[in-house]
Amino acid sequence: MSADRVDQLIESWRQELPGVLYPTSELTKRVMLLAGDLNEVTRRVLRELGLTTAEFDVLVTLRRSGAPYRMKPTELSRSLMLSSGGTSNVVNQLVNRELVVREPDPEDGRGTQIRLTANGVEAAEQAVQASSAAHDEMWAGVPAEAVHAAAEALRPLFAENRPAARARRTEIRS
């Protein structure tokens, strides 16, 4: 197999400053570069649909919550890992575009819920389909077995006992 850009980068550091390399360095760089590529593909698709990443996140979070596609603002913020102010700003933009509405919480007369409108459901589904197709296209030419093997190899890295996962859970609760 020929050397790729990560192999070249790692080899450069191995020669210049080998002390900065850890057993995880190659994996980290590969994941970071793939994440950057996936983010760029996603942003491009969302721009074409007239959505920001934050708007997309709100729409798809509401859509995947199941009918009637609504959540309390605090649940939405927690799910998105956004501040309540940040979530409120995005929701305001989506309300102005008639993709979501604020409505009284049927279980708490003092509270509100954010609900997708019919246009919001359509926008969410279109965005998910377009981004999923773009992500799939990014992997074109890679054998399905290799994609599956990579996904399975990454599974242990999402273990909840990792320090980063514990820290993230603490942040979400605060």
Side-chain angles (χ1 to χ4, degrees), residues 162-174:
R162 290 178 307 111
R166 287 193 304 269
R168 189 172 52 253
R169 281 193 310 273
T170 302
E171 286 175 19
I172 291 169
R173 279 188 231 125
S174 12

Side-chain angles (χ1 to χ4, degrees), residues 3 11 17 27 40 42 54 69-70 72 76 80 87 103 119 163:
E11 185 54 35
L17 197 57
L27 174 63
E40 182 51 40
T42 302
Y69 314 120
R70 68 177 175 213
K72 295 178 181 186
L76 187 58
L80 297 169
T87 301
E103 57 188 19
N119 288 342

Side-chain angles (χ1 to χ4, degrees), residues 77-91:
S77 293
R78 195 175 315 117
S79 176
L80 297 169
M81 291 186 278
L82 281 177
S83 69
S84 59
T87 301
S88 184
N89 287 337
V90 176
V91 168

Side-chain angles (χ1 to χ4, degrees), residues 118-130:
N119 288 342
V121 171
E122 184 179 324
E125 291 174 0
Q126 182 182 20
V128 168
Q129 290 167 355

Side-chain angles (χ1 to χ4, degrees), residues 4-18 20-30:
D4 60 26
R5 61 186 175 160
V6 174
D7 293 328
Q8 294 165 358
L9 179 83
I10 295 294
E11 185 54 35
S12 295
W13 282 118
R14 194 169 278 126
Q15 291 176 15
E16 294 298 319
L17 197 57
V20 302
L21 296 176
Y22 289 86
T24 57
S25 294
E26 180 182 356
L27 174 63
T28 299
K29 185 49 80 175
R30 289 186 185 286

Side-chain angles (χ1 to χ4, degrees), residues 54-63 76 80 90-91 94 100:
E55 291 169 335
F56 171 76
D57 289 343
V58 168
L59 292 174
V60 299
T61 298
L62 290 169
R63 176 59 183 88
L76 187 58
L80 297 169
V90 176
V91 168
L94 294 171
V100 302

